Amino acid sequence: MVGRIMNSYVSHLEAAIDGTILPHDQIQRLHKDRPLWVRYDLDCAGRTLNRETLAARAPTLWRYRELLPLPLDEEPVSLGEGMSPLLPAPRLGDAIGLSDLWVKDESQLPTGSFKSRGLCVAVSMAKHFGIDRLAIPTAGNAGGAMAAYAARAGMEAFVFMPRDTPIINQIECVLAGAALYLVDGLISDCGAIVRNGVEATGWFDCSTLKEPYRIEGKKTMGLELAEQFDWTLPDVILYPTGGGTGLIGMWKAFAELKALGWLESEKLPRMVAVQSDGCAPIPRAFDSGERFATPWENAETCASGLRVPSAVGDFMILDAVRQSGGRAVAVPESQIVQAMHQAVTAEGISICPEAATCVLAAEQLLDTGHIGKDERVVLFNTGAAAKYVETVTLDLPEITDPASVDYERIVR
Ligand SMILES: *Cc1c(COP(=O)(O)O)cnc(C)c1O
């Protein structure tokens, strides 16, 4: 049986652009310069795994083992990632005007962002294929995550990031032993450096969507969401979109759950791709009805994970958004930090600037009637606020004489 060659339920890889089928027992990257899907024998997987057997498993993303590409008898490269909290957000909901708002809080994952989901699966697969040298272009968090998993696996890591990437991302790469290079340019320039170096260095290019496995890691957000809501999906998902791996992955997860027959209702969520108006190629393509996005000039946003002027999976994002009946929206860059502050104050959840764009998007979509006030809305908090030390500026009162404190002024 084809699906069992490697002791996994993977049946084949499929080119997203034209459906070409490729074998999965060797390294594959792109087809016609576009990404690949991992396809599974879901009938077979569904005979081993069901909702009840799943419930008894450990709370990491590896609980969905049969729906992941790593052969079942191989040890994953793991830092305990997955099963992030799904938190009700009533105060933030009140402030926005939503009665059933939830936050899927990815800030608590290893390296403080959901990038660990994709990279633990990609690094595990690289190890499976005998690769010991990895490279990645990054807007920040992906590099930190890859460096951590490479360290965990005992592999060499090479990271290329724009010079102005948040300092925490630089530190986490260096601490994890990666060779880090600061590049005078954007993530696309970093991408070219990695791509052009493949032959000379023999490294494995872990770029977003340029290998098929990061999507598989990120799709576990969708699997968890379904499981945490007792197999009933929300009405709307708000997703801060850079390369789009998470949105694409979740949409794939929902299709797989549907095929497995695990969902309580046929209705799937409306997927909303959110970007800053400082870098909004996806909303622009959505509005003009295009299937591919033209690169954004002079991309600039404090939400560094969203500074992706051109995404290799643009059509996959737009297809998912449109198939779901959702939208792609741009929100004002000038309001992101304030929305971040508002959200953390309201709930105590460590909301990153990327996720703060979704707070603004929720308000905008309520205004335009694209979201109803009583709909169940899930906002993805993709990273930890504390990683963005450059973004929040402080102007704090001081106590110069600890011996004479004016308490009335303090509690006023
Ligand atoms: C990378 C990143 C994003 C964008 O993720 P994609 O799935 O590539 O669109 C959003 N938020 C944070 C914090 C990120 O690091």
Side-chain angles (χ1 to χ4, degrees):
M1 200 170 12
V2 175
R4 307 303 290 275
I5 287 177
M6 308 196 311
N7 191 20
S8 79
Y9 291 96
V10 177
S11 56
H12 60 277
L13 302 176
E14 181 190 318
I17 196 72
D18 63 6
T20 300
I21 288 177
L22 299 164
H24 66 283
D25 56 356
Q26 63 199 66
I27 290 282
Q28 303 279 359
R29 304 192 35 74
L30 297 169
H31 177 77
K32 297 188 175 155
D33 282 332
R34 294 292 185 170
L36 305 177
W37 299 113
V38 180
R39 295 298 186 200
Y40 298 82
D41 182 343
L42 291 174
D43 284 341
C44 239
R47 281 198 280 277
T48 318
L49 185 65
N50 56 48
R51 302 188 312 185
E52 290 70 39
T53 47
L54 191 56
R57 293 188 180 177
T60 80
L61 63 75
W62 297 101
R63 66 202 273 107
Y64 307 107
R65 207 50 209 260
E66 287 82 349
L67 305 177
L68 291 171
L70 189 70
L72 298 168
D73 52 0
E74 278 181 43
E75 198 59 37
V77 181
S78 174
L79 293 165
E81 55 287 324
M83 262 304 161
S84 66
L86 176 61
L87 304 166
R91 285 175 210 274
L92 182 59
D94 260 359
I96 298 174
L98 284 170
S99 69
D100 196 15
L101 176 67
W102 297 73
V103 175
K104 179 82 170 143
D105 186 15
E106 302 282 302
S107 71
Q108 304 184 35
L109 293 183
T111 70
S113 95
F114 74 146
K115 287 296 193 301
S116 46
R117 291 185 187 268
L119 282 149
C120 74
V121 175
V123 173
S124 295
M125 288 304 288
K127 189 172 174 209
H128 161 71
F129 285 117
I131 290 160
D132 54 16
R133 180 177 285 169
L134 307 171
I136 196 165
T138 179
N141 287 325
M146 193 197 79
Y149 285 96
R152 188 74 170 157
M155 295 179 182
E156 276 186 282
F158 296 83
V159 180
F160 300 85
M161 57 174 63
R163 184 175 289 290
D164 54 354
T165 300
I167 187 73
I168 301 276
N169 295 128
Q170 302 180 29
I171 292 171
E172 64 188 351
C173 288
V174 171
L175 282 178
L180 172 64
Y181 291 87
L182 299 179
V183 177
D184 280 318
L186 290 174
I187 188 165
S188 41
D189 301 302
C190 302
I193 292 172
V194 170
R195 188 171 60 246
N196 297 334
V198 167
E199 213 167 301
T201 61
W203 61 38
F204 183 63
D205 181 349
C206 284
S207 298
T208 301
L209 294 172
K210 293 190 181 168
E211 50 71 45
Y213 304 115
R214 278 174 65 186
I215 294 183
E216 295 305 294
K218 285 216 184 155
K219 89 178 176 191
T220 60
M221 292 190 290
L223 302 175
E224 287 178 18
L225 191 63
E227 191 179 356
Q228 288 171 317
F229 273 139
D230 287 327
W231 310 106
T232 303
L233 294 169
D235 298 305
V236 176
I237 289 177
L238 301 172
Y239 185 79
T241 305
T245 333
L247 188 145
I248 294 166
M250 281 195 276
W251 191 242
K252 180 175 191 280
F254 301 152
E256 291 176 359
L257 290 173
K258 211 166 164 176
L260 284 163
W262 290 7
L263 295 176
E264 293 292 329
S265 143
E266 288 287 292
K267 210 173 114 257
L268 300 182
R270 306 195 309 275
M271 308 296 288
V272 178
V274 185
Q275 296 191 314
S276 156
D277 64 7
C279 179
I282 300 298
R284 184 168 66 184
F286 179 82
D287 287 338
S288 56
E290 308 280 347
R291 188 171 186 221
F292 300 95
T294 43
W296 193 266
E297 302 286 331
N298 305 317
E300 209 174 309
T301 170
C302 69
S304 44
L306 308 188
R307 197 168 57 162
V308 182
S310 157
V312 64
D314 52 0
F315 66 106
M316 298 157 89
I317 304 170
L318 288 158
D319 286 355
V321 163
R322 290 186 176 121
Q323 281 166 20
S324 75
R327 308 189 65 72
V329 297
V331 301
E333 174 68 23
S334 59
Q335 295 175 22
I336 292 176
V337 175
Q338 186 201 329
M340 177 184 177
H341 196 152
Q342 178 197 16
V344 183
T345 300
E347 298 291 353
I349 302 171
S350 182
I351 302 273
C352 63
E354 289 83 350
T357 65
C358 295
V359 174
L360 297 166
E363 287 172 332
Q364 187 178 316
L365 293 170
L366 265 168
D367 261 3
T368 55
H370 289 105
I371 298 182
K373 65 178 175 41
D374 295 321
E375 286 197 293
R376 172 164 286 181
V377 177
V378 174
L379 184 159
F380 270 80
N381 181 37
T382 44
K387 297 188 87 171
Y388 299 81
V389 289
E390 294 92 343
T391 308
V392 183
T393 50
L394 301 176
D395 178 18
L396 301 174
E398 291 178 8
I399 291 174
T400 44
D401 181 3
S404 82
V405 176
D406 182 350
Y407 292 100
E408 275 181 17
R409 270 189 77 168
I410 288 180
V411 296
R412 182 180 61 189

